[in-house]
Amino acid sequence: MPGGAEWLVILAIVVLVFGAAKLPELARGTGQALRIFKAETKGLRDDDSTPEKPAGELSESEPAEGEIVENNRDTNAG
């Protein structure tokens, strides 16, 4: 792990590459991306822990769209 002097050298290189004016914008963008990432991973963990029936899922008694349903025509064929 870099020590104090190494961090100063790394910071100096970053300032030279990006420029001092771009650093706040770069930090803001990085922070925003991390917040979004945390929120999405938390949402995925919450979805895994609470199993819910999806809105589009049908019960066993309802046929799915496009499903061929066999009717008992023999009972009325009489």
Side-chain angles (χ1 to χ4, degrees):
M1 195 68 166
E6 288 88 6
W7 281 114
L8 288 175
V9 171
I10 292 170
L11 181 63
I13 292 171
V14 169
V15 168
L16 287 173
V17 170
F18 293 106
K22 291 282 186 178
L23 286 180
E25 183 181 326
L26 181 67
R28 225 181 342 267
T30 303
Q32 197 171 29
L34 286 173
R35 276 193 301 273
I36 293 170
F37 180 74
K38 279 184 178 180
E40 292 297 322
T41 55
K42 183 179 183 289
L44 288 174
R45 279 184 277 155
D46 290 345
D47 288 346
D48 289 344
S49 64
T50 57
E52 295 179 8
K53 185 177 175 181
E57 187 175 311
L58 299 174
S59 67
E60 292 179 18
S61 63
E62 299 176 38
E65 183 178 335
E67 181 179 355
I68 298 174
V69 180
E70 294 181 21
N71 291 331
N72 289 335
R73 296 182 193 177
D74 296 334
T75 59
N76 294 333

